[in-house]
Amino acid sequence: MDEVEVVVAHSERATLRVGDVFLKVDADQARIDVEVEVMALAPVPTPKVLWRKPPVLAIAALPGKTLGRLGGPSTGAPAGWAAAGAAIRKLHEAPLPPRTGRAGRSIAALTAELDDECESLVTNGVLPADLVTRNRQVAEAALRPWAPAFTHGDLQIAHVFVDGDEVTGIIDWSEAGQGDALYDLATFTLGHEEHLDDVMVGYGSAIDLDVVHAWWSLRSLLAVRWLIDHGFDPFAPGCEIDVLRSRM
């Protein structure tokens, strides 16, 4: 019998792997509903849904491997990163899904959340004031009008599988919907700035690097306390705190 591998687990959701099957257990059934709905609309490879029995979604494992992970070395060649960029562009140009995703939060909502989070990080001594202040300044460039695109909303490097120069699948679509395309690009390259040029080659369109840098800062500032509260370490080498320090 295959062993059960805990891929990720915290108080909101858990993902287990048993052989070639992934079991996703989510406390919020709406997230699973969104994931299944959006995967059917996405014009890029996605995992096959095997069965659903709330609160569990079973999906098939994907061929290939990820390009690396946040806080770890990149395992992919430039061609793999370029292939990911091309797949992301194809997603962004697809007809819009019916809902707004995580990448589509309004400027007002993001600004309020960011300001509250920055104040909490400093007041509670989580991060030094100068680090927070500088990255809050950088993050301002992301708070601008944008044209809606079909976005993944949580396009971490660990969510994109590649075999050579071909994307074999993208997983974890529960945050997908209409949103800012540069949010996806920033999330995918977070902590791997050295591969941004490779992604841009595949994406095939000029992007505003100041906005990508802004999303790196904004996403990291918003993530620090959540990660700590859920048992993750944003202070690990190459992770969110190092991303923030790189903007100093």
Side-chain angles (χ1 to χ4, degrees), residues 62-179:
L62 291 168
K65 59 183 180 180
T66 66
L67 293 167
R69 61 180 178 83
L70 181 62
S74 166
T75 56
W81 287 87
I88 296 169
R89 178 64 180 270
K90 186 174 182 180
L91 175 68
H92 290 166
E93 292 182 336
L96 295 175
R99 66 185 296 274
T100 299
R102 183 165 182 79
R105 288 167 291 172
S106 70
I107 295 173
L110 270 174
T111 300
E113 182 181 0
L114 180 60
D115 288 342
D116 288 346
E117 197 64 29
C118 288
E119 181 180 359
S120 178
L121 290 170
V122 174
T123 300
N124 294 306
V126 179
L127 294 178
D130 61 340
L131 183 65
V132 173
T133 298
R134 170 55 183 158
N135 278 276
R136 175 62 182 85
Q137 293 169 346
V138 174
E140 187 68 25
L143 303 173
R144 87 284 179 224
W146 41 266
F150 191 145
T151 54
H152 181 280
D154 190 21
L155 200 62
Q156 301 175 44
I157 185 176
H159 292 166
V160 179
F161 286 74
V162 176
D163 185 3
D165 60 356
E166 178 186 359
V167 172
T168 57
I170 300 176
I171 64 172
D172 286 359
W173 292 82
S174 61
E175 306 288 353
Q178 297 182 30

Side-chain angles (χ1 to χ4, degrees), residues 1 5 14-15 24 29 41 53-54 62 72 82-83 91 119 129 132 135 149 153 158 176 183 191 199 216 236 242:
M1 180 177 179
E5 174 191 355
T15 301
K24 303 189 68 173
Q29 182 58 35
L41 298 174
K53 187 174 181 180
L62 291 168
L91 175 68
E119 181 180 359
V132 173
N135 278 276
Y183 180 92
V199 174
W216 286 342
D242 278 352

Side-chain angles (χ1 to χ4, degrees), residues 224-241:
V224 169
R225 286 198 310 131
W226 186 95
L227 291 168
I228 294 171
D229 290 346
H230 289 79
F232 301 100
D233 185 9
F235 290 88
C239 292
E240 284 78 6
I241 304 305

